[in-house]
Amino acid sequence: TFREAVKEKFFAGMIVIEILSLFLSYYLSDIAAGDTVKIAMDFMLSFYFFLIAAFSILISANSTFKDINEKMVYLILSKPISRGEYILGKIFGFWKTISFFVFISFFIISSGLLIINSLSHLYIPHIIVVERIFLFSILLAFMGFLLASFGTLSGVLFSSPILAIVITFLVFIVGLELSPVKEL
């Protein structure tokens, strides 16, 4: 599952989108008034949050359906592997893929923010704490693990990948809105 996911064009496309968003955040921070580095950092970290969520949802729901559609499941299940082991293998493969994507994204975002900080024209340089970005990346990886697990479950339960993606995305939105409802 890991090798299959990394070989897809979708994986490389998400990394290219992330690099392009760095350039976009640099130019948006120059346009906006105020602390340019803080604006670039806020934009990149919020974009990073939704990028990990989209990556986790799309890769998990699509892969399971693709295995069923291309009849790869029949080849795998003809071996002495149970269905539960197959699903667990898919989930662990997605976790490994998400960990790899978060690892690459952490280095891209950290280096990009440090470059934006060095290019900014501030009298007092902004302090970018890479350790906090690293902790944020670890938490995003756990969020991605949960979304990939639920995406795999919905990919197995529903016959359409669009339906699995939509339901997983709705669960993600419900999870985001759960804390304000709890406070209310």
Side-chain angles (χ1 to χ4, degrees):
T1 302
F2 172 72
R3 279 188 264 143
E4 174 188 318
V6 171
K7 286 181 188 177
E8 284 189 26
K9 294 177 185 175
F10 179 70
F11 186 83
M14 292 295 256
I15 291 176
V16 168
I17 287 172
E18 190 168 25
I19 292 170
L20 290 175
S21 70
L22 269 175
F23 290 114
L24 180 66
S25 70
Y26 175 70
Y27 289 117
L28 282 177
S29 66
D30 273 347
I31 293 171
D35 189 4
T36 58
V37 177
K38 184 178 180 334
I39 292 170
M41 190 175 355
D42 288 346
F43 177 77
M44 269 315 299
L45 291 179
S46 61
F47 187 79
Y48 183 34
F49 175 76
F50 287 109
L51 190 73
I52 297 294
F55 180 76
S56 303
I57 292 169
L58 293 174
I59 204 156
S60 63
N62 272 341
S63 178
T64 309
F65 178 74
K66 190 167 61 169
D67 282 353
I68 293 170
N69 197 24
E70 293 176 356
K71 309 220 187 308
M72 184 79 93
V73 175
Y74 299 127
L75 178 69
I76 294 171
L77 292 179
S78 67
K79 302 192 181 337
I81 296 175
S82 70
R83 292 177 180 166
E85 290 173 347
Y86 169 72
I87 297 297
L88 281 177
K90 290 295 263 186
I91 289 173
F92 288 135
F94 293 140
W95 288 6
K96 188 175 178 182
T97 306
I98 290 167
S99 299
F100 185 62
F101 184 72
V102 166
F103 180 74
I104 290 172
S105 299
F106 165 72
F107 282 110
I108 291 172
I109 286 176
S110 298
S111 60
L113 288 175
L114 290 173
I115 290 170
I116 289 173
N117 190 23
S118 67
L119 293 176
S120 68
H121 308 292
L122 295 174
Y123 294 114
I124 301 170
H126 200 288
I127 297 172
I128 295 184
V129 184
V130 178
E131 294 86 15
R132 288 190 182 176
I133 298 173
F134 181 72
L135 289 175
F136 181 67
S137 298
I138 290 174
L139 292 175
L140 284 183
F142 285 127
M143 178 196 69
F145 296 164
L146 288 173
L147 284 174
S149 301
F150 193 80
T152 305
L153 174 70
S154 61
V156 169
L157 291 178
F158 302 112
S159 60
S160 168
I162 303 291
L163 183 62
I165 289 170
V166 167
I167 287 177
T168 309
F169 183 72
L170 289 176
V171 166
F172 169 66
I173 297 296
V174 166
L176 285 179
E177 296 301 321
L178 195 62
S179 133
V181 169
K182 232 172 155 182
E183 288 178 17
L184 187 67

